[in-house]
Amino acid sequence: MRWKSFFLTAGMYLIIPALFLICWHVAARQVQNEVILPGIGQVAGLLRHPAQDLISMGSLAANVGISLVRVLAGYLLAVMLAVPLGIVMGYYRPVFKLLNGFLSLFRPIPPLAWVPLVLAWFGVASLASVMKVESGPSYIFLNNLKFSMIFIIFIGAFYPVLTSSIHGVANVRRILLDSAHVLGAGRRDIFRKILLPAAAPSIVNGMRIGLGVAWMCLVSAEMLPGSLSGVGYLITHAYTMANTDIVIAGMISIGLVGAGLDLVFRLWEEKKFAWTRMAR
Amino acid sequence: MKESHILNIETLGKTFSTSNGGSIEALRHVDLDVDENEFLCIVGPSGCGKSTLLRIVAGLEQMTKGRILRRGLEITGAHRDVGMVFQEYSLLPWRNVLDNVALGPEFAGAPKKARRETALACLRLVGMESFSRAFPHELSGGMRQRVAIARALANNPDILLMDEPFGALDAHTRILMQKELLRVWEAHRKTILFVTHGVDEAIYLADRILVMSARPGRIIDIFNVDMPRPRRRSDPVYGQLAEKILNLLEKEAALSFGG
């Protein structure tokens, strides 16, 4: 009985992907053109050997790794700025009124629309050019962190995190603040022991969405001039060389990594904020 | 000011300004002296400002007129010596019972061991020490309010303000909680200001009952309850007092409905 239900559940998850793969396979055989649609085996082969060097631009794994570092740099910057700002804006009405109108003007602008301006500002400047590192392995690493890319990723992650932080703090039940005040809480206690934990589920949810958006901004960021690596660049470069199998392998890697990051956040939320589901 | 007064409320007034530019007078000219260790109940029609009165004493709300002295010193804001229990459930949902009760000592900067001991002692007092590891959502309404009382006591306040603390509980639990509260009060002898709209509850608990008018809230009468505790609800004095207060409240309610 248990095995039966296990297979049923597994079947439910697998049935659509399996159908999708079958369609892909059939379509690829019909098309008979690997630039339009390469076969499953070809793409799977690339994914099975992620450390293999591709079209003289490094391996899939190395490019995904570089992309991850970029995304994390822009994302962490966004979190570090948006969370404190959101908490203050959520708690102090006047600060909210002061900043919200201004910030709302920039919210609807897609990160990609910033590209011309960002290039005018930063060009191909990277951390390496600021830190005056001009050779060696640290140069290669730092030179991959272009300001223009980090800025695009930052913009993408900033708003979801900001909005959810404001929302989380503004919705903290008044009674919790009142009782903390009566118990003798100072301003620091209110922020650290009441507002932050009470708003944490909302903030972490925003951080999860923000990371997803940051990851989605990746390809556009890596299409910027000066970029010679990263999974986004790999895809565009493979496209110009008509290596559609690499394009698809790159897309699948982006999907897998994005879903993996999302899963990590979900597990964290599940574990840490079990009380939100139970509390009234 | 008498030596035994722990609290003097002098010509207190409170006017709220509303968002559309108008104003609502919640309290008018409230004068009250509270004795040390007294159990004082405040009853009145809903919206008469009795909760506002408590919130002002707690330092959560500013008064617009008058002043309040606690042991001769003016109250300017929230103070550790004034504890409060609310009608709404107010425990922090992400902390367990023990860490909720230890909150006051934690804010005061007490070392971890000391505040745990204080919290456990207070939980024992309300009969909740075996639930110290439980989380608020695992407790019934009555248990949550016991923990809330323990949490207020952990600061060892000399005045305990209670704003309809049993209002959200079912009738049976409420009666149990009233007994329990008297037991705690008799063991610890705090001064208690207890807001309720249950006249029965007030007579069961109070040394003195203060009856407030409809808005703007004023004190219209004060009754001494001279019955030995534990009080029996079948006592004829109980019934007579209840009738007197209910009549008074009915008149007030009619006034507030009539505009």
Side-chain angles (χ1 to χ4, degrees):
Chain A
M1 198 57 208
R2 261 189 67 211
W3 281 107
K4 200 176 155 193
S5 71
F6 172 78
F7 281 118
L8 267 175
T9 321
M12 291 289 277
Y13 279 113
L14 293 177
I15 192 157
I16 303 289
L19 280 174
F20 177 77
L21 288 178
I22 290 168
C23 290
W24 178 0
H25 183 68
V26 171
R29 283 185 65 143
Q30 293 291 318
V31 172
Q32 288 287 359
N33 181 340
E34 64 177 42
V35 175
I36 296 176
L37 190 61
I40 295 179
Q42 217 175 329
V43 174
L46 288 170
L47 288 172
R48 254 206 310 278
H49 306 287
Q52 179 188 52
D53 199 34
L54 303 169
I55 46 173
S56 71
M57 49 178 298
S59 68
L60 190 60
N63 279 301
V64 170
I66 287 169
S67 297
L68 256 178
V69 172
R70 283 176 183 148
V71 166
L72 289 184
Y75 173 70
L76 288 180
L77 215 59
V79 168
M80 273 168 6
L81 204 73
V83 171
L85 187 64
I87 291 177
V88 170
M89 280 175 75
Y91 189 60
Y92 294 110
R93 245 0 247 180
V95 180
F96 180 82
K97 283 181 184 159
L98 184 72
L99 293 176
N100 190 50
F102 178 72
L103 289 173
S104 296
L105 282 177
F106 292 92
R107 193 193 312 267
I109 301 176
L112 201 57
W114 284 91
V115 165
L117 207 53
V118 161
L119 286 178
W121 289 347
F122 302 117
V124 292
S126 69
L127 273 185
S129 44
V130 169
M131 293 167 87
K132 302 264 187 283
V133 182
E134 275 157 18
S135 60
S138 56
Y139 169 77
I140 295 172
F141 177 76
L142 291 172
N143 196 42
N144 273 323
L145 296 173
K146 309 271 184 219
F147 288 125
S148 47
M149 290 180 192
I150 294 177
F151 186 87
I152 299 288
I153 293 165
F154 168 87
I155 289 284
F158 181 76
Y159 280 102
V161 180
L162 179 75
T163 308
S164 62
S165 302
I166 295 174
H167 181 80
V169 169
N171 280 318
V172 173
R173 282 165 61 219
R174 167 93 183 272
I175 191 86
L176 299 185
L177 295 169
D178 279 349
S179 45
H181 278 300
V182 176
L183 287 168
R187 190 187 299 256
R188 254 176 84 91
D189 294 320
I190 292 288
F191 273 94
R192 283 183 43 224
K193 291 175 179 165
I194 311 294
L195 288 178
L196 195 57
S202 174
I203 294 175
V204 171
N205 190 42
M207 282 169 63
R208 182 167 67 78
I209 297 168
L211 186 55
V213 177
W215 190 240
M216 280 198 274
C217 291
L218 183 73
V219 178
S220 37
E222 285 177 347
M223 280 164 69
L224 297 180
S227 168
L228 290 169
S229 58
V231 66
Y233 181 71
L234 182 76
I235 290 175
T236 39
H237 189 61
Y239 163 72
T240 57
M241 299 180 64
N243 284 107
T244 310
D245 52 344
I246 298 179
V247 172
I248 294 180
M251 286 170 69
I252 293 177
S253 322
I254 293 180
L256 287 178
V257 172
L261 293 172
D262 198 67
L263 183 71
V264 169
F265 260 99
R266 270 185 198 284
L267 292 177
W268 183 29
E269 284 177 322
E270 195 104 329
K271 193 168 167 239
K272 197 85 186 162
F273 305 126
W275 59 267
T276 50
R277 272 177 285 125
M278 264 74 93
R280 332 183 303 137
Chain B
M1 190 188 94
K2 247 179 27 185
E3 198 54 34
S4 67
H5 288 160
I6 189 169
L7 202 65
N8 308 88
I9 300 176
E10 295 173 355
T11 60
L12 184 80
K14 171 73 183 175
T15 307
F16 288 102
S17 39
T18 57
S19 51
N20 55 22
S23 64
I24 294 172
E25 192 178 9
L27 294 168
R28 181 187 289 174
H29 208 96
V30 175
D31 271 304
L32 176 68
D33 294 325
V34 184
D35 291 330
E36 188 97 41
N37 303 334
E38 184 177 12
F39 199 133
L40 184 80
C41 277
I42 304 170
V43 297
S46 34
C48 75
K50 43 193 197 300
S51 291
T52 307
L53 177 61
L54 236 54
R55 290 177 61 84
I56 292 173
V57 176
L60 289 174
E61 208 91 62
Q62 298 285 317
M63 55 201 111
T64 28
K65 281 200 197 86
R67 60 174 188 167
I68 301 176
L69 304 176
R70 189 180 59 82
R71 296 192 191 283
L73 294 173
E74 203 158 336
I75 286 183
T76 49
H79 197 285
R80 301 174 37 75
D81 283 337
V82 181
M84 187 154 179
V85 179
F86 301 84
Q87 174 179 8
E88 259 183 278
Y89 300 132
S90 60
L91 301 177
L92 304 181
W94 58 89
R95 284 183 174 227
N96 67 20
V97 164
L98 188 72
D99 291 340
N100 258 291
V101 177
L103 213 50
E106 190 179 324
F107 291 150
K112 191 158 187 166
K113 199 167 160 244
R115 60 190 197 228
R116 287 175 71 92
E117 273 165 20
T118 311
L120 270 176
C122 292
L123 281 172
R124 204 168 298 131
L125 192 68
V126 298
M128 286 293 291
E129 75 270 36
S130 54
F131 291 90
S132 60
R133 298 252 155 245
F135 280 84
H137 61 78
E138 298 168 318
L139 305 178
S140 70
M143 288 166 138
R144 290 183 206 190
Q145 290 306 68
R146 278 173 205 250
V147 175
I149 292 171
R151 182 171 74 173
L153 291 176
N155 262 353
N156 198 21
D158 41 31
I159 300 175
L160 187 56
L161 307 170
M162 306 187 83
D163 188 3
E164 300 191 38
F166 310 145
L169 307 179
D170 63 84
H172 180 68
T173 312
R174 193 179 310 142
I175 287 173
L176 285 176
M177 292 293 286
Q178 290 164 0
K179 274 192 188 154
E180 195 75 349
L181 177 62
L182 282 182
R183 192 179 57 71
V184 171
W185 174 67
E186 274 158 7
H188 269 244
R189 286 287 159 180
K190 309 275 178 205
T191 305
I192 296 184
L193 267 68
F194 189 108
V195 162
T196 174
H197 54 234
V199 172
D200 165 82
E201 185 168 65
I203 299 172
Y204 186 78
L205 294 171
D207 294 321
R208 270 198 304 168
I209 299 173
L210 200 139
V211 182
M212 288 182 68
S213 70
R215 198 162 61 209
R218 287 150 292 133
I219 300 174
I220 48 176
D221 215 335
I222 296 180
F223 296 89
N224 287 306
V225 188
D226 299 316
M227 280 187 280
R229 294 188 178 90
R231 293 173 181 156
R232 285 179 304 114
R233 288 177 160 88
S234 56
D235 192 323
V237 182
Y238 205 109
Q240 285 158 15
L241 190 55
E243 198 178 327
K244 247 196 253 175
I245 296 173
L246 283 170
N247 279 336
L248 202 57
L249 285 175
E250 207 170 308
K251 253 184 257 162
E252 272 310 313
L255 270 179
S256 70
F257 269 118

